[in-house]
Amino acid sequence: MKSLLLPPHPKERRVVFQNAWTQGYTPDIDCYIKHGGYAELKKALGMKPEEIIDEVKKANLRGRGGAGFPCGVKWGFIRRDDGKPHYITCNGDESEPGTFKDRYILHNDPHQLIEGMAIAAFALNVNLAYIYIRCEFPKAAQIVTQALKEAREKGFLGKNIMGSGFDVDMFVHQGAGAYICGEETSLIESLEGKRPYPRIKPPYFPAVLGLYMSPTIVNNVETFCHVKQIFKIGSDEYAKMGTPGDGGTRVMCVSGDVMRPGPYEIPAGGVTLGELINDVCGGMKPGRKLKAVIPGGSSSKILRAGETFKMKVKGEDGQMVDKEVPLLDLVMDASSLAAAGTMVGSGGVIVMDDSRDMLWALNNLNQFYAHESCGQCTPCREGVLWIDKMTTRMVNGEGTEQDPKTLKNVADNIAGRTVCAFGEAASWPVQSFLQKFPEEFEVAAK
Amino acid sequence: MDTHAATSTGPRQADQIPADLLAKIDEAVTHYPVSKRSASLPLLHLWQNHFGFIDDSGVDWIAKRLDLEPINILELVTFYPWFRQEKAGRISVRVCRTLSCALAGSYEVRDSFCKAAGIDPKAPTHGHTPPVSPDGKFSVEFVECLASCGSAPVALVNDDLHEDITEAGTANILSQYN
Ligand SMILES: Cc1cc2nc3c(=O)[nH]c(=O)nc-3n(C[C@H](O)[C@H](O)[C@H](O)COP(=O)(O)O)c2cc1C
Ligand code: SF4
Ligand code: FES
């Protein structure tokens, strides 16, 4: 990735990416140790497990996989001494369109992930952990497997790690080409060797009834790397890098019609959307204007150039005041994007310029969801196919007058009526494209 | 014993398991001390990496190895897009179809790969059995987002990710594979 070979942009702050893009840095354990690796695991092994979880809570780390759930709170659901086996699974399925960050970590800095997971394992009393990697990353699987072997040889994994009396081992588990396996309960079914049909929540929250029906924590690759960094930087400093409730840095993956697409690690809330596009990514292609942005992976709701959003922001006197915020002034953190009706999600920002046809773009995403539905629930299995059929026919000039209305109706009847959040993920693009760009759908409908 | 009709002719894969594949299978099973069934996907991967696809004897053999019914394995082979029940090209070209790559021209790139490989671009784009070139060397198919959207369009050729592909550059990429 070219943008990563450049020195960091002034708005960037490479924390989880710090080693991965250092000249001469290699993924082997000697290089990692030379750069201070496994010192935080040592530190954590000397702490009380509750203290570790408290640090993660204080750091305000939110999960980087898409749902943005506070990591420390999730860990707090595990009862260390309930007598059951506990598991950790790392979500390296990275398949949300627009998201490309975890692969760089797996390839370039695998020990950072392993150290973060080992810290989590100690805090949560876990002796067995899995790293689920999509099979389209064959090299990542080899690199991480090798790194696990090295960590075992050096005593960071296995029996009595670093002389602590604590045992933990980890293995790589490869997926097989299905997007749905990124959904945490689907991932667990896949890890159990079954068809990856998501489980219904409640009762199957992984922290209660996860892998092998035991309490299980699923976290994203980037999330575990942040855990290690929290212990390096300290939870207060870490939290301060971000905004209240959204600590640390986040890798924003920008793709589409900008001059310098790439993954940029930026303090949470450290840029506005305008700064990200025009400053960090070098602006739009020559002669082109911004038309639309999908801010947090393909499942997040699309935003339209020129829109404004009413929200509460901090005024000059520090008091919260109502303000009309233009699109390009939107701060890229969890709460601002939520206030704009969308989400930071997985950090995948897809930018489209004024040469793009929104019906065509939506149809592309509809084909994705039609291909990836697991087929377990009727509204999703049938609905995504209908939606795809309708936009495909509209793209081919065979749309009918009712199509936009029927499209919305089908989407409205998927969201909220399914086993897993794929239902929302597939409906939100339809609902938001129709809402934000109605004129393009009316024209296509004839 | 086979419990369903063979989908392909030729020698049964289960009769030709080399020692190193057996050793890898035994190793993989040890990664799942709680439940052998968890080794289903790893065994299917090892099998497909060796034979190129999974025939009925493979389904039965893996099921038996893990104390499962053949259907427990067959339902995985038919669900997960990665697994093949028939031979594909020796070299698999998987072009990303999804939005960021499509914005950067992935449809044109896929067609160009097809032409360079000698495959009709009108052939099906997805499926467990992708179109194969007449010489059996290449198969070309669309896959969904490969998590490399910042260097779109991209394609996975066997184990290698190729980035920033142009329509004109596809023949050169294929020429790197034998
Ligand atoms: C359809 C769907 C696909 C998902 N894909 C991924 C993925 O590829 N990677 C990921 O980390 N999380 C993915 N998630 C989110 C996971 O379910 C889960 O929330 C996450 O792995 C938890 O980790 P975190 O708390 O560290 O973010 C997906 C969720 C849904 C509903
Ligand atoms: S919502 Fe869709 S993907 Fe999720 S369980 Fe139901 S059918 Fe499967
Ligand atoms: S859209 Fe092609 S790699 Fe993501």
Side-chain angles (χ1 to χ4, degrees):
Chain A
M1 184 78 250
K2 280 171 280 179
S3 67
L4 290 162
L5 303 174
L6 302 169
H9 186 276
K11 294 275 182 196
E12 272 186 274
R13 174 137 181 216
R14 291 184 187 167
V15 176
V16 296
F17 266 5
Q18 63 187 293
N19 288 338
W21 309 108
T22 301
Q23 277 277 318
Y25 188 83
T26 49
D28 57 274
I29 198 162
D30 293 332
C31 187
Y32 187 63
I33 291 174
K34 228 186 314 170
H35 286 73
Y38 289 105
E40 278 66 45
L41 175 59
K42 182 149 196 231
K43 209 186 285 178
L45 290 171
M47 293 169 67
K48 289 208 187 79
E50 311 80 71
E51 290 171 354
I52 297 177
I53 298 174
D54 273 349
E55 283 296 293
V56 176
K57 281 186 186 158
K58 278 195 283 182
N60 286 332
L61 170 61
R62 282 173 179 265
R64 302 294 195 249
F69 196 81
C71 183
V73 175
K74 178 152 54 176
W75 290 13
F77 296 147
I78 300 280
R79 295 276 146 265
R80 269 182 63 83
D81 47 5
D82 56 9
K84 298 180 193 161
H86 304 155
Y87 302 103
I88 287 179
T89 63
C90 169
N91 192 338
D93 196 52
E94 186 157 69
S95 332
E96 171 82 2
T99 316
F100 48 102
K101 56 194 180 68
D102 299 340
R103 182 166 48 84
Y104 298 111
I105 296 170
L106 297 169
H107 276 224
N108 297 353
D109 200 5
H111 285 287
Q112 182 184 203
L113 169 64
I114 296 168
E115 185 174 6
M117 287 181 70
I119 294 170
F122 177 66
L124 302 167
N125 198 11
V126 166
N127 306 118
L128 182 59
Y130 291 97
I131 306 176
Y132 192 105
I133 300 179
R134 64 182 297 192
C135 69
E136 296 89 335
F137 294 174
K139 290 190 178 156
Q142 284 164 15
I143 293 166
V144 177
T145 302
Q146 171 63 21
L148 289 170
K149 183 165 164 265
E150 293 168 349
R152 233 170 259 135
E153 283 165 5
K154 296 257 191 226
F156 299 123
L157 292 179
K159 297 254 175 267
N160 186 20
I161 64 169
M162 300 179 92
S164 63
F166 176 70
D167 306 338
V168 61
D169 211 345
M170 298 177 192
F171 300 99
V172 167
H173 186 94
Q174 287 184 280
Y179 163 72
I180 193 58
C181 293
E183 196 281 335
E184 56 191 9
T185 62
S186 166
L187 183 149
I188 288 170
E189 287 282 307
S190 182
L191 196 44
E192 292 186 357
K194 301 177 191 153
R195 277 196 172 193
Y197 293 135
R199 297 174 178 171
I200 196 151
K201 305 184 219 180
Y204 297 105
F205 290 106
V208 185
L209 294 166
L211 183 62
Y212 307 131
M213 290 300 155
S214 291
T216 301
I217 290 296
V218 183
N219 276 130
N220 172 258
V221 171
E222 188 192 337
T223 310
F224 280 122
C225 293
H226 284 285
V227 167
K228 136 121 202 176
Q229 297 302 337
I230 289 168
F231 288 88
K232 184 165 174 189
I233 301 168
S235 57
D236 290 343
E237 277 306 304
Y238 181 90
K240 262 193 242 155
M241 278 193 283
T243 55
D246 191 4
T249 56
R250 166 178 284 114
V251 181
M252 314 268 351
C253 316
V254 189
S255 65
D257 299 323
V258 292
M259 290 303 288
R260 281 196 300 275
Y264 296 97
E265 186 174 357
I266 291 171
V271 285
T272 62
L273 182 58
E275 288 166 337
L276 183 64
I277 293 175
N278 293 322
D279 196 3
V280 179
C281 296
M284 305 298 291
K285 303 242 167 83
R288 289 287 163 207
K289 285 206 293 273
L290 178 69
K291 180 166 182 178
V293 182
I294 300 175
S298 65
S299 308
S300 62
K301 292 191 174 175
I302 194 166
L303 303 171
R304 179 175 178 144
E307 307 191 59
T308 58
F309 309 92
K310 282 201 183 74
M311 61 180 73
K312 290 216 182 301
V313 294
K314 221 185 221 155
E316 275 159 26
D317 54 358
Q319 296 292 316
M320 296 307 273
V321 290
D322 285 312
K323 212 183 145 196
E324 184 108 354
V325 178
L327 177 72
L328 293 180
D329 292 349
L330 260 186
V331 175
M332 297 300 278
D333 76 338
S335 62
S336 310
L337 286 173
T342 184
M343 60 179 183
V344 275
S346 58
V349 183
I350 307 174
V351 180
M352 287 182 276
D353 70 25
D354 54 355
S355 69
R356 303 302 183 177
D357 175 344
M358 290 299 113
L359 170 61
W360 173 88
L362 177 63
N363 186 47
N364 182 286
L365 294 180
N366 290 347
Q367 287 182 3
F368 172 80
Y369 292 106
H371 187 255
E372 299 298 339
S373 166
C374 85
Q376 183 176 215
C377 4
T378 311
C380 171
R381 179 186 62 237
E382 304 297 321
V384 291
L385 294 179
W386 293 346
I387 282 173
D388 173 26
K389 261 192 203 161
M390 275 188 272
T391 51
T392 300
R393 107 175 150 222
M394 290 168 87
V395 165
N396 292 333
E398 291 154 17
T400 64
E401 202 184 321
Q402 310 89 290
D403 276 348
K405 230 169 116 191
T406 317
L407 264 178
K408 180 172 182 313
N409 186 266
V410 174
D412 291 349
N413 280 292
I414 301 174
R417 290 179 161 80
T418 57
V419 169
C420 86
F422 182 103
E424 282 73 37
S427 309
W428 287 343
V430 177
Q431 293 167 334
S432 62
F433 272 72
L434 281 166
Q435 186 202 344
K436 299 290 169 76
F437 298 94
E439 70 284 5
E440 299 202 16
F441 291 86
E442 279 152 22
V443 169
K446 281 190 301 218
Chain B
M1 203 178 62
D2 281 343
T3 48
H4 35 86
T7 47
S8 51
T9 51
R12 289 160 33 99
Q13 292 173 342
D15 294 337
Q16 323 163 55
I17 309 172
D20 66 327
L21 177 59
L22 267 185
K24 283 185 199 159
I25 286 173
D26 290 343
E27 219 278 307
V29 175
T30 66
H31 297 176
Y32 304 96
V34 182
S35 163
K36 264 197 295 193
R37 185 172 184 177
S38 284
S40 305
L41 286 190
L43 264 50
L44 285 166
H45 277 299
L46 287 168
W47 198 274
Q48 180 160 303
N49 287 347
H50 179 75
F51 292 111
F53 67 105
I54 300 147
D55 76 357
D56 288 340
S57 75
V59 169
D60 291 342
W61 191 95
I62 293 171
K64 205 158 165 212
R65 176 69 181 80
L66 300 176
D67 294 328
L68 299 168
E69 295 300 326
I71 184 63
N72 301 137
I73 299 299
L74 184 63
E75 67 175 358
L76 306 181
V77 176
T78 55
F79 183 94
Y80 289 96
W82 191 261
F83 296 130
R84 307 195 194 288
Q85 287 180 284
E86 279 175 63
K87 208 169 162 173
R90 263 187 297 116
I91 293 142
S92 279
V93 181
R94 294 177 166 97
V95 184
C96 174
R97 188 208 63 85
T98 321
L99 186 55
S100 302
C101 284
L103 290 168
S106 63
Y107 277 72
E108 292 78 7
V109 163
R110 176 213 165 252
D111 288 357
S112 167
F113 268 123
C114 283
K115 283 182 207 142
I119 293 171
D120 180 1
K122 291 206 181 64
T125 54
H126 284 81
H128 290 261
T129 313
V132 182
S133 60
D135 59 1
K137 189 167 172 189
F138 296 107
S139 48
V140 177
E141 65 193 306
F142 263 149
V143 291
E144 300 301 327
C145 182
L146 286 171
S148 196
C149 328
S151 45
V154 300
L156 194 62
V157 183
N158 285 353
D159 283 359
D160 309 320
L161 182 73
H162 293 266
E163 304 172 74
D164 297 308
I165 303 173
T166 60
E167 249 183 287
T170 56
N172 182 36
I173 292 175
L174 295 189
S175 73
Q176 298 163 27
Y177 294 85
N178 273 307

